Amino acid sequence: METQNLILLILLLFLRCSFSFVPIDNYLINCGSHNNVSQFNRVFISDSIKPGSNFLSSDDSISLTDKKPSQNLQILYHTARVFISTGRYRFNMKKNGTHLVRFHFFPFKAQSFDLKSAKFSVLVNGISILSEFRPSNDVVLKEYILKIESNLLEILFRPFKSGFGFVNAVEVFTAPEDFVIDYGTRLVGPSGVEEYKNFSSQVLETIHRINVGGMKITPFNDTLWRTWIPDEDFLVFKEAAKHAVSTDIPNYQKGGATREIAPENVYMTAQQMNRENSSLASRFNITWNFPVARDSVLHLIRLHFCDIVSPSLNLLYFDVYINGYIAYKDLDLSALTFHTLASPVYVDFVVHSDESGVIQISVGPSDLSSSIRINAILNGAEIMKMVNDVDNTKIVHRRKHLWELLCSIVGGIVVLFIAVTVFLLATKCRKREAKESAAESVGWTPLRMFGGSSLSRTSEHGSYGYLGMKIPFADVQTATNNFDRNLIIGSGGFGMVYKGVLRDNVKVAVKRGMPGSRQGLPEFHTEISVLSKIRHRHLVSLVGFCEENSEMILVYEYVEKGPLKKHLYGSSPQSPLNWKQRLEICIGAARGLHYLHTGFAQGIIHRDIKSTNILIDEDYVAKVADFGLSRSGPCINETHVSTGVKGSFGYLDPEYYRRQQLTDKSDVYSFGVVLFEVLCGRPAVDPQLTREQVNLAEWAIEWLQKGMLDHIVDPNLVGDIKPRSLKKFGETAEKCLAEYGVDRPTMGDVLWNLEYALQLQESASSASEAVNETTTISPENSRRLERNYDNDYSDISTSRVFSQLMNNEGR
Ligand SMILES: *[C@@H]1O[C@H](CO)[C@@H](O)[C@H](O)[C@H]1NC(C)=O
Ligand SMILES: *[C@@H]1O[C@H](CO)[C@@H](O)[C@H](O)[C@H]1NC(C)=O
Ligand SMILES: *[C@@H]1O[C@H](CO)[C@@H](O)[C@H](O)[C@H]1NC(C)=O
Ligand SMILES: *[C@@H]1O[C@H](CO)[C@@H](O)[C@H](O)[C@H]1NC(C)=O
Ligand SMILES: *[C@@H]1O[C@H](CO)[C@@H](O)[C@H](O)[C@H]1NC(C)=O
Ligand SMILES: *[C@@H]1O[C@H](CO)[C@@H](O)[C@H](O)[C@H]1NC(C)=O
């Protein structure tokens, strides 16, 4: 009994610890005092000079004490260290990366010094962060967020002329991982939204930190000991806003905001549109003006959102404006939060301040919102000034050296060669296997999750709710006219796919496993129980299943316009998709994949992303198909590898050949190939072309790195794509195709960048420029204009050339 209690206690302690943030570097200094003091549960230690004192090095600094402190003043502010000449604190740093540095100033009056007359500068590792600073009457807290990349942090106080400097307390501590992410920050300005890179190299000074719609949050209640103040005083028109309050703890999620980004209380309150006041128009903005210095300096704006106002998902769409410029159009919190309601997210923006002395933030309803559901919200806002505003908004594209280019081409050929060899070996081995046990060629292997098997996951849920999805075999027969060959719409790794109509007139796609094998039935069940719970706008959903008569049949929703591939090339695309449609399809597919990777089921790897597995419905909404199913296990290194190779030639992660393992980043790779397919309107592998052109991924990267991506865009798109959208799209696809999985973005990042590419396409400011001004129809393009991919001709030739590679698979 006692040991049990002990274990419980340890567990509890562990849980508690895992909830509160413990910085690796953590220096809290009570300056000018001989005592340690505790404030907000943290101990600030004395800096009084003793020989060998770690922190302070100053020949003539003075410890000053306020003899008559005012009553409510915290003890931390009863003492100060005064610097008559330059003085410094030095801290040994254990960790490189982003840190928070805070200075507390309270100018009290002592006999020898009136701290109000101080005037001084402060430098951190040589960077001037405060110059000719004069503290006001009150307690002033200055907070800086900066990247430290050295083992020593030096803070220097330099008096101005014959004056002096002082400080009451200093904090230096490591910021949580991912506190500042460089990727995909939106630079908002008159020319629309651009990407701002590399802001983690800037020193940020916190100017405002606002708990919108809520109360003041003190360091005691904040995970990083911050203070958040209410927004009321900054509202331009108070009647426009109405408080929203939730009593439920927000659903923090992996990939979204964390408790360290902002505490629960920030996300549990918000301002929303006050639509009850009939004296207001039906559509209006809520606007805040935040005072800043009157000059042109870049600021980082971090806005916090958590949908605590909507009764369900996909109801809230709004626009965000900063300084009157559109900063985020049609913000869809449901999509950003992986389809969980009341889940916290934040979005970073970068904007120039101006002579007006305010930064204006507005939120207002988007055109997408239905007239019953007009709303817009904001939960929190942080405004930070870039102290050493180095202008690196102009991103210079680094050209690869020629030899690097050569290496990558040669490398690509080598990879292709290895790929062919591996496939040949694999096929041989499969043939052998097939001889040994014919039954094994059809089987179900379970869904691969990143953490743990799907089996344990389903037993956790312990529910067999999916059994209600059983469909009698007779019904399936009726629906497909007894598996009429004329109704075959495709063939998957495990058998044929038929179009069918169920009794209630619902159109379905019926996937029939090859009859005759009951092997893998438990896995079949596991699979269904997981698939049955996945419901997502961009994933083809399971309607039911059938397991009578030794059959294993899956019934899916029917997606009207079929595979994306058909609309890109091949059997005469009636009207070619325009660029916006293509972008929206890519965005939809990316959403679906992102959900598979991070959503409810957490960590399903698709393993076979290609343009035939992305379907399009009648409204051109993309739906990812064929996830979760797999063929028989691998025969390469068969004893240890638990991942079934499912990928298709031309889309397969090169890292697979090194690690023999498919990961979520393998999906990202395959998706990168699809992106180029969409852009160039040609198959991933086209054996009819010359050797350099066979493999789309390599060919496209080569042109991209030559800076000539516009030469290989689908001739149907010439004149339609705006250069900046093309550039962003190309960069994104290139990142997906990085050689190593770790260098590839996550699907979330890809999604973000595609949305950004769409925004660049739509932004009115660059309406005049389109690719056709820079593109003449190049020989590359015209040659492909002549080529025709009729009747999936290319597919046939692919399968002919690689028939040895694929013949056992029926794919
Ligand atoms: C203050 O705390 C430090 C570190 O915990 C300790 O070494 C020192 O003895 C303390 N000083 C006093 C005066 O308690
Ligand atoms: C931090 O980076 C600096 C410079 O790159 C290096 O000298 C130092 O060893 C690094 N420190 C740690 C703890 O990694
Ligand atoms: C980021 O900015 C810093 C300083 O502004 C610069 O030294 C560094 O090279 C930049 N990094 C990239 C990747 O642009
Ligand atoms: C902050 O913490 C104090 C002390 O625990 C508590 O009384 C107060 O309600 C908290 N404030 C909020 C906004 O949660
Ligand atoms: C509605 O707005 C008007 C100002 O336009 C204000 O005087 C009035 O108090 C508001 N009423 C409500 C219920 O908020
Ligand atoms: C909201 O503010 C922006 C920027 O000032 C403006 O363009 C837009 O028309 C406003 N929306 C409404 C509904 O007033």
Side-chain angles (χ1 to χ4, degrees):
M1 277 309 274
E2 284 204 28
T3 48
Q4 261 182 6
N5 283 343
L6 196 71
I7 290 169
L8 212 77
L9 197 78
I10 292 170
L11 259 172
L12 272 174
L13 275 174
F14 178 76
L15 275 177
R16 279 183 79 126
C17 290
S18 65
F19 278 137
S20 66
F21 172 67
V22 183
I24 293 175
D25 292 312
N26 193 17
Y27 295 104
L28 308 172
I29 311 297
N30 179 15
C31 306
S33 170
H34 291 277
N35 300 317
N36 298 344
V37 305
S38 169
Q39 191 189 28
F40 298 126
N41 274 351
R42 300 198 294 168
V43 178
F44 285 72
I45 65 169
S46 144
D47 73 341
S48 58
I49 306 178
K50 346 176 237 237
S53 161
N54 247 343
F55 312 124
L56 184 66
S57 66
S58 168
D59 297 334
D60 42 12
S61 76
I62 296 163
S63 302
L64 199 66
T65 307
D66 191 355
K67 292 287 187 309
K68 303 182 295 267
S70 59
Q71 277 211 320
N72 298 327
L73 194 67
Q74 280 145 343
I75 302 171
L76 205 53
Y77 303 123
H78 291 188
T79 60
R81 173 139 322 266
V82 176
F83 301 97
I84 298 168
S85 63
T86 301
R88 33 176 83 76
Y89 286 97
R90 286 204 176 105
F91 303 102
N92 290 321
M93 306 306 282
K94 292 200 213 67
K95 190 165 171 21
N96 278 344
T98 306
H99 285 70
L100 279 87
V101 178
R102 292 185 186 140
F103 302 101
H104 300 249
F105 301 105
F106 177 69
F108 56 80
K109 192 171 177 177
Q111 298 131 315
S112 41
F113 287 96
D114 182 358
L115 294 183
K116 278 194 198 73
S117 54
K119 194 172 184 184
F120 56 99
S121 303
V122 181
L123 290 87
V124 175
N125 275 1
I127 302 167
S128 171
I129 54 169
L130 266 178
S131 55
E132 297 181 32
F133 177 61
R134 303 192 72 146
S136 60
N137 289 330
D138 219 343
V139 171
V140 177
L141 179 71
K142 290 272 182 189
E143 179 187 271
Y144 300 89
I145 297 164
L146 72 161
K147 198 151 138 188
I148 296 171
E149 279 183 327
S150 79
N151 296 335
L152 190 73
L153 176 72
E154 184 184 69
I155 298 174
L156 197 135
F157 292 83
R158 183 186 287 158
F160 183 70
K161 291 197 176 141
S162 58
F164 62 92
F166 79 95
V167 64
N168 303 75
V170 177
E171 302 175 34
V172 175
F173 61 95
T174 317
E177 292 290 337
D178 294 342
F179 193 64
V180 182
I181 298 174
D182 279 335
Y183 211 78
T185 312
R186 292 158 171 260
L187 175 68
V188 179
S191 57
V193 178
E194 293 165 58
E195 185 174 1
Y196 184 82
K197 293 192 178 170
N198 201 9
F199 81 75
S200 69
S201 58
Q202 305 280 350
V203 178
L204 303 172
E205 177 186 348
T206 307
I207 307 292
H208 296 288
R209 182 167 280 142
I210 312 291
N211 179 18
V212 178
M215 297 188 304
K216 180 173 175 177
I217 298 174
T218 62
F220 196 90
N221 300 56
D222 182 81
T223 43
L224 293 183
W225 312 280
R226 291 164 292 207
T227 302
W228 301 73
I229 63 167
D231 67 308
E232 310 288 345
D233 293 343
F234 305 101
L235 270 171
V236 173
F237 183 56
K238 285 196 172 55
E239 273 72 33
K242 189 174 81 176
H243 284 221
V245 181
S246 165
T247 49
D248 298 327
I249 302 297
N251 300 311
Y252 284 99
Q253 284 194 78
K254 202 177 122 211
T258 61
R259 283 185 171 75
E260 283 74 45
I261 293 291
E264 288 160 5
N265 285 325
V266 170
Y267 294 113
M268 286 162 71
T269 61
Q271 294 280 19
Q272 60 178 323
M273 288 172 68
N274 179 15
R275 305 227 302 130
E276 282 147 33
N277 196 329
S278 52
S279 65
L280 294 171
S282 68
R283 286 177 184 266
F284 54 88
N285 291 327
I286 313 174
T287 300
W288 295 262
N289 277 349
F290 295 101
V292 294
R294 284 179 191 277
D295 49 18
S296 177
V297 179
L298 280 176
H299 285 72
L300 175 75
I301 317 269
R302 176 167 287 185
L303 301 184
H304 300 268
F305 301 101
C306 180
D307 186 354
I308 54 170
V309 301
S310 301
S312 65
L313 287 167
N314 301 317
L315 292 175
L316 183 64
Y317 300 92
F318 57 95
D319 296 334
V320 179
Y321 304 90
I322 298 177
N323 285 350
Y325 304 124
I326 184 80
Y328 204 128
K329 196 164 166 23
D330 306 326
L331 182 66
D332 175 3
L333 289 179
S334 299
L336 285 184
T337 59
F338 323 121
H339 293 265
T340 305
L341 202 60
S343 174
V345 285
Y346 70 92
V347 184
D348 284 341
F349 302 92
V350 173
V351 70
H352 272 284
S353 59
D354 54 29
E355 292 302 312
S356 71
V358 295
I359 283 181
Q360 186 173 77
I361 297 172
S362 308
V363 293
S366 127
D367 300 334
L368 288 184
S369 47
S370 75
S371 53
I372 348 158
R373 285 275 163 216
I374 289 175
N375 210 347
I377 62 164
L378 183 64
N379 300 65
E382 291 173 272
I383 296 181
M384 296 165 201
K385 181 172 131 184
M386 294 190 184
V387 173
N388 58 341
D389 181 6
V390 185
D391 190 17
N392 53 15
T393 54
K394 298 276 165 284
I395 310 134
V396 190
H397 189 77
R398 195 174 63 91
R399 276 280 160 82
K400 281 207 171 176
H401 294 292
L402 189 64
W403 66 268
E404 271 181 285
L405 199 71
L406 274 173
C407 281
S408 67
I409 294 169
V410 170
I413 292 168
V414 169
V415 165
L416 193 75
F417 176 73
I418 295 175
V420 170
T421 320
V422 167
F423 262 92
L424 283 173
L425 281 173
T427 324
K428 249 189 182 167
C429 153
R430 274 196 193 118
K431 271 184 187 156
R432 198 192 55 216
E433 196 183 56
K435 254 186 231 154
E436 277 161 20
S437 94
E440 254 170 46
S441 63
V442 183
W444 303 90
T445 45
L447 290 169
R448 234 73 53 185
M449 313 279 186
F450 299 159
S453 79
S454 52
L455 273 168
S456 62
R457 196 172 276 274
T458 30
S459 51
E460 240 169 65
H461 289 286
S463 77
Y464 290 94
Y466 65 91
L467 291 179
M469 297 171 80
K470 257 189 181 176
I471 299 177
F473 186 65
D475 285 8
V476 180
Q477 273 181 308
T478 316
T480 58
N481 196 17
N482 200 15
F483 301 104
D484 188 343
R485 289 192 64 82
N486 294 321
L487 292 177
I488 292 178
I489 48 174
S491 59
F494 61 95
M496 293 297 170
V497 187
Y498 301 82
K499 183 179 173 177
V501 182
L502 291 179
R503 273 176 206 202
D504 43 5
N505 260 337
V506 174
K507 284 190 201 165
V508 289
V510 176
K511 291 195 174 183
R512 186 190 197 190
M514 307 229 195
S517 168
R518 296 284 289 177
Q519 217 171 20
L521 201 61
E523 287 89 342
F524 181 58
H525 275 216
T526 307
E527 192 115 348
I528 293 166
S529 81
V530 175
L531 293 185
S532 65
K533 288 184 199 127
I534 297 177
R535 285 283 176 273
H536 188 276
R537 181 172 153 83
H538 296 291
L539 297 174
V540 174
S541 47
L542 188 71
V543 174
F545 71 101
C546 169
E547 52 159 325
E548 290 168 39
N549 306 340
S550 314
E551 294 271 1
M552 288 189 286
I553 295 172
L554 292 175
V555 181
Y556 287 95
E557 71 173 303
Y558 181 74
V559 184
E560 197 65 43
K561 288 196 181 340
L564 168 63
K565 183 192 183 113
K566 271 198 192 159
H567 300 263
L568 296 176
Y569 46 83
S571 45
S572 56
Q574 301 87 355
S575 51
L577 300 170
N578 65 30
W579 184 235
K580 189 181 169 208
Q581 281 172 317
R582 293 187 197 205
L583 275 174
E584 278 168 349
I585 287 165
C586 293
I587 289 169
R591 283 222 170 104
L593 272 175
H594 180 49
Y595 181 76
L596 279 183
H597 289 174
T598 61
F600 140 79
Q602 292 253 323
I604 294 178
I605 306 168
H606 187 294
R607 288 177 294 149
D608 198 10
I609 290 296
K610 53 181 174 178
S611 56
T612 36
N613 277 339
I614 296 170
L615 309 182
I616 303 172
D617 77 8
E618 58 276 26
D619 301 322
Y620 291 97
V621 172
K623 287 177 187 281
V624 177
D626 204 19
F627 48 92
L629 300 175
S630 81
R631 297 175 285 170
S632 50
C635 59
I636 306 158
N637 197 2
E638 48 203 299
T639 43
H640 293 105
V641 180
S642 62
T643 35
V645 191
K646 209 184 146 202
S648 301
F649 202 64
Y651 295 89
L652 199 54
D653 181 1
E655 216 175 29
Y656 174 74
Y657 301 111
R658 283 191 296 274
R659 299 181 42 200
Q660 311 221 324
Q661 206 184 347
L662 293 176
T663 66
D664 55 333
K665 293 297 181 72
S666 310
D667 284 352
V668 173
Y669 182 90
S670 308
F671 191 72
V673 178
V674 173
L675 291 181
F676 276 130
E677 234 179 310
V678 166
L679 180 70
C680 307
R682 58 150 278 189
V685 174
D686 187 345
Q688 301 231 306
L689 295 171
T690 63
R691 196 194 282 175
E692 312 83 75
Q693 298 179 35
V694 170
N695 185 308
L696 169 61
E698 289 167 41
W699 179 66
I701 289 287
E702 201 186 317
W703 283 87
L704 185 141
Q705 287 175 346
K706 280 192 280 190
M708 293 158 80
L709 189 59
D710 51 341
H711 286 237
I712 58 164
V713 301
D714 185 336
N716 290 315
L717 291 174
V718 172
D720 186 16
I721 312 183
K722 296 199 180 135
R724 293 201 300 159
S725 180
L726 173 65
K727 184 163 177 287
K728 185 82 227 166
F729 188 89
E731 279 173 9
T732 310
E734 185 189 24
K735 281 177 194 152
C736 291
L737 294 179
E739 184 69 15
Y740 294 91
V742 289
D743 297 328
R744 293 174 207 149
T746 63
M747 272 326 291
D749 293 332
V750 174
L751 175 57
W752 182 285
N753 279 276
L754 290 176
E755 282 177 331
Y756 184 57
L758 178 61
Q759 203 166 354
L760 291 175
Q761 177 70 13
E762 292 192 290
S763 68
S765 57
S766 54
S768 53
E769 18 154 15
V771 162
N772 63 347
E773 283 164 30
T774 52
T775 315
T776 45
I777 299 264
S778 64
E780 277 307 318
N781 265 333
S782 56
R783 209 175 308 138
R784 283 188 308 110
L785 264 176
E786 286 153 27
R787 281 183 57 74
N788 99 46
Y789 295 109
D790 220 0
N791 295 324
D792 272 348
Y793 176 78
S794 62
D795 243 11
I796 292 162
S797 52
T798 311
S799 50
R800 194 176 59 226
V801 169
F802 296 103
S803 59
Q804 291 121 303
L805 310 182
M806 301 185 158
N807 62 354
N808 255 1
E809 310 305 324
R811 203 163 251 278

